[in-house]
Amino acid sequence: MTEDREAELRASLEALRSRLDDAVRAAGRADGDVELLPVTKFFPASDVILLRGMGCEAFGESREQEASRKAVEVAEHFAGDGTTAAIRWHMIGRIQRNKAKAVASWAYAAHSVDGIALIRALGRGATEALADGRRAEPMFVYVQLSLDGDPDRGGVDIGDPALVDEVCAAANSTEGLRFAGLMAIPPLGAAAEESFVRLAAERERVQADHQQRLGLSAGMSGDLETAVRHGSTCVRVGTALMGQRPLTSP
Ligand SMILES: *Cc1c(COP(=O)(O)O)cnc(C)c1O
C-alpha cells in the first residue's frame, strides 16, 4: 500500500533528519553543513516520488541501468510541473568506463571516481551532454579513496599520495567536470573512527592544491555520526531510511 509506505518513509526520514541534526550539533558544526543523500538503489521509483514529496531533492544510486530507468520514470511522473528540475541524481557505485557516457547523461555528481581513464571518459560524456542540452551544468566528481588498497573494492590507494594528487588534478582540470572532493567507505572490519580520521587528514593534504573548498562524501547508516565528527559534508544513507534492501532491484 502506497499510504503505508508513505507513512513509513515519513517516519524514518524524520528520525534520520533528527539523528543527523544531533550529530552535526554534537560535532560543533553549523546547521546545514552536512547534506543528507538518500540512497534509493534497489528501491522503486515510487519511493523516490514519495521522498520528493517530503522535500528530498537528491538521490544516490549505484548501478547505471537501474538509475537511468528510475530517472526516466521519476521525470515522467513529474513531467510538466517543474519539480523534476530540482532532482539531482548522484552516482555512488563503481562506474565501468564503458558506462561513463551513459552516467554523464543523468548524474549530477559521481562519488566513485577512481582513475584517470574514467575521468577522461566522464569528462567527454559530460561535455557532449552539455553541448546537446542533456545536461545544464558540469558534473561534480568526488575522487574515491581506498583506505586499505584492496583493488577489488575500488578507490585510489590512499597510501600512494602521488597517485592521489595526480587523479585529483585530472578531476580538477578536465572539461565538463568539477572536482568536488573525496569519498571513501571504511574497509570491511575496519573501525570507522580510524578510517574517517585518515580520510579527513587526506582531505586537508589535498586541499592545499585547490582553490575550491573540497567536500567529503563519508558516512552511511551505521557510521554517520563518526563521519560527521570528522568533517563529512555528505552522508549517503540507504538502510536507515529505506529499510533493508530487497534482493532484486526494480
Ligand atoms: C549502498 C551504499 C550506501 C548506503 O549504505 P547503507 O548502509 O544502506 O546506508 C552508501 N554508500 C555507497 C557507496 C553505497 O553503495
Side-chain angles (χ1 to χ4, degrees):
M1 280 294 290
T2 309
E3 292 103 78
D4 291 349
R5 183 59 172 155
E6 181 168 8
E8 189 174 79
L9 285 175
R10 195 176 290 284
S12 61
L13 179 61
E14 199 174 308
L16 179 59
R17 280 178 173 152
S18 78
R19 185 180 158 198
L20 182 58
D21 286 348
D22 288 349
V24 167
R25 236 165 274 139
R29 299 181 57 192
D31 287 347
D33 246 16
V34 185
E35 179 182 5
L36 172 62
L37 180 65
V39 173
T40 48
K41 67 186 183 197
F42 288 84
F43 288 92
S46 56
D47 280 354
V48 174
I49 290 163
L50 288 172
L51 288 167
R52 178 68 193 89
M54 299 169 202
C56 298
E57 296 187 334
F59 300 94
E61 287 284 332
S62 64
R63 296 183 310 172
E64 195 286 317
Q65 285 192 359
E66 178 186 342
S68 55
R69 261 189 280 127
K70 218 177 279 182
V72 167
E73 229 181 299
V74 171
E76 279 169 358
H77 177 86
F78 289 115
D81 74 358
T83 317
T84 305
I87 293 184
R88 301 183 304 274
W89 295 95
H90 292 239
M91 177 56 165
I92 63 170
R94 290 194 84 173
I95 306 170
Q96 291 166 285
R97 214 182 307 158
N98 64 359
K99 299 281 175 62
K101 190 176 165 175
V103 169
S105 70
W106 56 263
Y108 164 86
H111 293 232
S112 41
V113 174
D114 61 359
I116 289 173
L118 176 59
I119 287 170
R120 298 226 167 94
L122 288 170
R124 276 194 302 275
T127 302
E128 273 175 38
L130 282 163
D132 66 21
R134 281 172 297 133
R135 300 188 67 81
E137 50 193 340
M139 177 157 56
F140 287 91
V141 297
Y142 291 85
V143 169
Q144 183 178 353
L145 301 182
S146 164
L147 301 173
D148 62 357
D150 178 353
D152 292 339
R153 298 186 71 229
V156 180
D157 186 353
I158 197 170
D160 186 346
L163 182 61
V164 172
D165 288 344
E166 199 184 327
V167 175
C168 292
N172 198 54
S173 63
T174 297
E175 189 188 349
L177 307 181
R178 291 273 183 277
F179 179 38
L182 302 178
M183 179 274 219
I185 304 168
L188 290 171
E193 178 78 24
E194 213 175 288
S195 299
F196 293 136
V197 164
R198 186 133 187 248
L199 179 63
E202 188 64 357
R203 178 188 43 180
E204 285 317 304
R205 193 190 68 76
V206 172
Q207 179 67 67
D209 290 336
H210 297 276
Q211 305 281 313
Q212 71 276 35
R213 182 66 187 152
L214 298 179
L216 214 44
S217 170
M220 312 192 284
S221 293
D223 57 16
L224 71 88
E225 285 83 1
T226 313
V228 166
R229 194 147 22 88
H230 295 293
S232 172
T233 58
C234 177
V235 293
R236 310 174 309 269
V237 181
T239 313
L241 175 61
M242 311 299 295
Q244 286 300 327
R245 281 183 277 281
L247 293 174
T248 55
S249 68

